Amino acid sequence: SSELTQDPSVSVALGQTVRITCQGDSLRSFYATWYQQKPGQAPIVVIYGKNNRPSGIPDRFSGSNSENTASLTITGAQAEDEADYYCNSRDSSGEHHFVFGGGTKVTVL
Amino acid sequence: EVQLEESGGALKQPGTSLKISCAASGFRFDDYATHWVRQRPGRGLEWVSGISWHSEDIDYADSVKGRFIVSRDNAKNALFLQMNSLRPEDTALYYCARETARCSGGTCYPVIDYWGKGTLVTVSP
């Protein structure tokens, strides 16, 4: 099975823009889903597919994809965006085989 | 409202077995594949296993293959994970999660969308 690689941490000034990347071979075949996880809570989907936001997710969250890399951008980061962010995709090993990235801790300064 | 509620987490000794469960409600359970995802203390998310709605397609992470068995009972809206030969590194919060096809602009994407709150499994001598 494949792996997804994320930078462990990134910081962003309040109101500024931050981009988180995720690299892996599975992304050549499948789009990434991005999750936000705050301490003590289950993850929630913030971006899926080409660049789609579930209802209730602010439009400052956006996604992009290129070859083996997926990116999550937060434009105008807010204090409440401080969290761990994980990418995830299906894997060609099986119909319901998925893989997660190691996660990126986003700190809003 | 979609709800997933895990149960059965416990403190176990290495080499022993444990079966955890997930009760689903608020959606037609037998229309969806479901998954187990775990999170070791202070660590990231790790996909563990997935099972199709009809139980004919089952996948496991390499770290648990041959030791864990996933199953489901659609009549009872329940998902299970039988964990055998437990190791200290299996210590984690185990989440039950639903997979769906999220569609936008005519394209559908497989997404693990709803999660439970997790059940804690601790493996220690």
Side-chain angles (χ1 to χ4, degrees):
Chain A
S1 58
S2 59
E3 296 181 350
L4 295 175
T5 301
Q6 298 181 240
D7 290 332
S9 64
V10 66
S11 59
V12 57
L14 185 68
Q16 296 303 301
T17 296
V18 62
R19 188 173 75 171
I20 307 163
T21 60
C22 171
Q23 288 189 303
D25 286 341
S26 62
L27 300 178
R28 296 183 185 277
S29 303
F30 305 102
Y31 282 102
T33 297
W34 288 94
Y35 299 88
Q36 177 193 72
Q37 186 182 36
K38 296 182 178 178
Q41 298 182 17
I44 62 168
V45 177
V46 293
I47 290 289
Y48 68 93
K50 206 167 189 179
N51 179 19
N52 302 288
R53 284 176 288 106
S55 61
I57 301 301
D59 61 5
R60 61 179 178 271
F61 290 90
S62 63
S64 61
N65 303 271
S66 177
E67 297 186 349
N68 71 330
T69 301
S71 300
L72 173 71
T73 301
I74 309 174
T75 304
Q78 301 299 302
E80 61 264 31
D81 299 334
E82 184 163 296
D84 294 322
Y85 291 84
Y86 296 90
C87 61
N88 153 269
S89 79
R90 245 197 72 189
D91 182 273
S92 57
S93 300
E95 190 71 19
H96 301 289
H97 198 291
F98 282 74
V99 60
F100 281 92
T104 299
K105 168 68 177 178
V106 172
T107 301
V108 180
L109 304 172
Chain B
E1 180 191 4
V2 173
Q3 290 195 328
L4 298 162
E5 185 171 357
E6 305 88 343
S7 61
L11 172 62
K12 303 292 290 185
Q13 292 198 329
T16 62
S17 298
L18 179 68
K19 188 172 185 176
I20 59 176
S21 304
C22 171
S25 60
F27 64 102
R28 190 181 166 94
F29 184 67
D30 56 6
D31 274 350
Y32 294 86
T34 47
H35 296 262
W36 288 102
V37 178
R38 70 184 180 185
Q39 188 165 33
R40 297 186 177 112
R43 304 290 293 276
L45 301 171
E46 179 187 11
W47 176 84
V48 172
S49 180
I51 181 170
S52 62
W53 67 270
H54 45 50
S55 303
E56 291 187 4
D57 294 314
I58 291 176
D59 296 291
Y60 297 100
D62 290 344
S63 57
V64 306
K65 197 175 296 183
R67 298 189 299 123
F68 289 11
I69 301 170
V70 65
S71 62
R72 61 191 293 162
D73 184 339
N74 288 341
K76 295 182 178 178
N77 292 341
L79 175 70
F80 306 101
L81 187 67
Q82 175 69 45
M83 300 182 289
N84 301 320
S85 302
L86 283 164
R87 304 168 180 170
E89 55 264 36
D90 295 321
T91 294
L93 187 64
Y94 284 75
Y95 292 103
C96 164
R98 185 186 82 166
E99 178 189 338
T100 192
R102 288 270 182 132
C103 302
S104 177
T107 303
C108 296
Y109 311 93
V111 176
I112 296 176
D113 62 350
Y114 282 96
W115 301 60
K117 290 183 167 56
T119 188
L120 183 62
V121 174
T122 303
V123 184
S124 179

